[in-house]
Amino acid sequence: MRPYSKAIVGIVFSVSTSLAAMWVMSRFPGMEIPIPYWIFGFFAPLFISTPVCLLLARQVEQKRRLTESLQKAMAELRHLSEIDQMTGLFNRASFLRRLEQARAAAPGVCLLIDVDHFKTINDRWGHATGDQALTAIAGSLRRSVRANDICGRMGGEEFAIYLLGMTGDSGAVLADRIRLAVETLSIRNDEGHAVPLTVSIGCAADENAATTEILLRRADLAMYAAKAAGRNQIRLAA
């Protein structure tokens, strides 16, 4: 029941109680109550209880709105604490926490993705262009995976994805699709020059990993194998 509805109930209760008490008293011999007293018995509690009940109702409503605002603010802060502000993906801590939860539900495939020659992009085209590249790649990752997959930025130019319920072969197919999608991205620096983007991806199936740390380590080794083999390719963990 809304606060102002409760206030009306309180007012009606106050008036009714006063009149009921007067009616009971009037039933005793010699206790007849004149009409003016009945009128007073009606209006006195009405005038007293109405402002009190309305004030209390207003305070309750203000408290309710304040509580909702605080809950909304806390939810937004909680969301912001989980998100990498530049890319909009999960940050490292949030990704690892969700990865643990997802692995407990079902095995999948972990991808570690590193942007090729990112230092060269920053040095040659500037950090603003580097940030633009990271944002563009993050958007490409989001578009390439399913809604229930977990996608995060591990730090710097490294990203990670957990593909829920996938096998190593299907994960490798999607990883190569991600690689091709990044390769076709088109970004330009402030002078209008096109900046080439590629990534190297390590792919590790969860069924062979005893712990999350081992899973990430296997994906990391596969990613470095892809970079050592010439970059812009994927490697499956052994």
Side-chain angles (χ1 to χ4, degrees):
M1 185 180 296
R2 304 290 291 181
Y4 288 102
S5 298
K6 293 181 179 180
I8 293 174
V9 172
I11 294 168
V12 171
F13 178 78
S14 176
V15 174
S16 300
T17 301
S18 176
L19 294 177
M22 293 177 65
W23 181 83
V24 171
M25 292 176 61
S26 68
R27 298 300 93 191
F28 291 100
M31 295 293 292
E32 292 83 1
I33 299 177
I35 294 299
Y37 284 66
W38 283 101
I39 296 173
F40 179 81
F42 174 81
F43 284 104
L46 180 66
F47 289 142
I48 294 173
S49 61
T50 296
V52 173
C53 290
L54 291 177
L55 177 61
L56 291 175
R58 181 182 178 185
Q59 291 176 341
V60 170
E61 180 66 13
Q62 289 175 337
K63 182 179 179 180
R64 182 188 66 81
R65 292 179 180 177
L66 178 60
T67 300
E68 288 181 352
S69 297
L70 289 174
Q71 291 174 341
K72 183 178 179 181
M74 290 177 63
E76 290 176 352
L77 287 173
R78 191 159 48 244
H79 174 73
L80 289 174
S81 70
E82 295 181 338
I83 298 299
D84 175 68
Q85 297 304 301
M86 178 186 296
T87 63
L89 303 180
F90 290 120
N91 58 32
R92 180 185 181 89
S94 181
F95 175 83
L96 293 176
R97 182 171 61 254
R98 290 170 183 270
L99 174 59
E100 289 281 4
Q101 296 169 351
R103 293 189 68 226
V109 174
C110 183
L111 307 180
L112 280 186
I113 304 161
D114 191 79
V115 183
D116 296 329
H117 303 296
F118 186 69
K119 184 177 185 302
T120 301
I121 294 174
N122 277 334
D123 292 344
R124 181 178 179 183
W125 308 104
H127 287 277
T129 302
D131 292 346
Q132 183 185 354
L134 293 177
T135 302
I137 291 171
S140 180
L141 298 183
R142 277 195 299 267
R143 292 188 296 271
S144 299
V145 300
R146 302 164 300 176
N148 61 339
D149 293 327
I150 307 168
C151 195
R153 182 186 179 193
M154 301 299 281
E157 68 272 23
E158 188 172 284
F159 300 88
I161 298 175
Y162 189 70
L163 306 170
L164 289 93
M166 278 198 178
T167 63
D169 291 339
S170 58
V173 171
L174 180 56
D176 199 51
R177 190 158 61 227
I178 290 172
R179 181 190 65 80
L180 290 171
V182 171
E183 190 177 18
T184 58
L185 287 174
S186 177
I187 68 167
R188 297 183 178 274
N189 70 345
D190 293 339
E191 287 76 32
H193 298 294
V195 180
L197 295 176
T198 61
V199 291
S200 299
I201 304 176
C203 179
D206 198 14
E207 58 261 23
N208 298 323
T211 65
T212 297
E213 182 179 357
I214 292 175
L215 176 66
L216 291 170
R217 179 60 178 165
R218 293 177 62 242
D220 191 53
L221 290 173
M223 181 192 71
Y224 276 103
K227 296 184 83 69
R231 295 182 171 85
N232 190 26
Q233 54 189 282
I234 70 167
R235 282 291 184 272
L236 292 173

